[in-house]
Amino acid sequence: MYVSDSIDQLLTAVFLLLAVAAFVIFFVVSDRTPFFWLGGIAVALRLFQYGRRVFVKRKARKDRYSQSDI
């Protein structure tokens, strides 16, 4: 099941904005440093989002199993 909450949607929107900005900067600016910074931040944000999803799912699964034992 997909974990969808407001924080997850916000992180996805920020990731998309950073990815589009990095894509535009790659073709517009001759210096590649801003592209690497924006792209790196976008990738790090996406990795954080995936890690958060796994953690939230694990916590929800743990809570569900502990409640069924009661």
Side-chain angles (χ1 to χ4, degrees):
M1 178 177 220
Y2 175 69
V3 177
S4 178
D5 58 356
S6 59
I7 294 174
D8 191 52
Q9 292 174 354
L10 176 69
L11 289 173
T12 300
V14 171
F15 167 76
L16 289 174
L17 289 174
L18 286 171
V20 167
F23 181 77
V24 169
I25 285 177
F26 181 79
F27 291 107
V28 173
V29 179
S30 62
D31 182 23
R32 298 286 188 237
T33 306
F35 163 74
F36 290 128
W37 275 102
L38 287 176
I41 292 170
V43 169
L45 183 70
R46 189 57 125 185
L47 290 173
F48 170 75
Q49 183 180 10
Y50 285 143
R52 185 181 171 278
R53 283 182 190 171
V54 169
F55 178 73
V56 169
K57 280 184 180 181
R58 184 177 295 160
K59 184 177 177 187
R61 191 178 314 125
K62 182 180 175 184
D63 290 344
R64 184 175 29 166
Y65 287 139
S66 67
Q67 289 176 356
S68 65
D69 292 340
I70 296 176

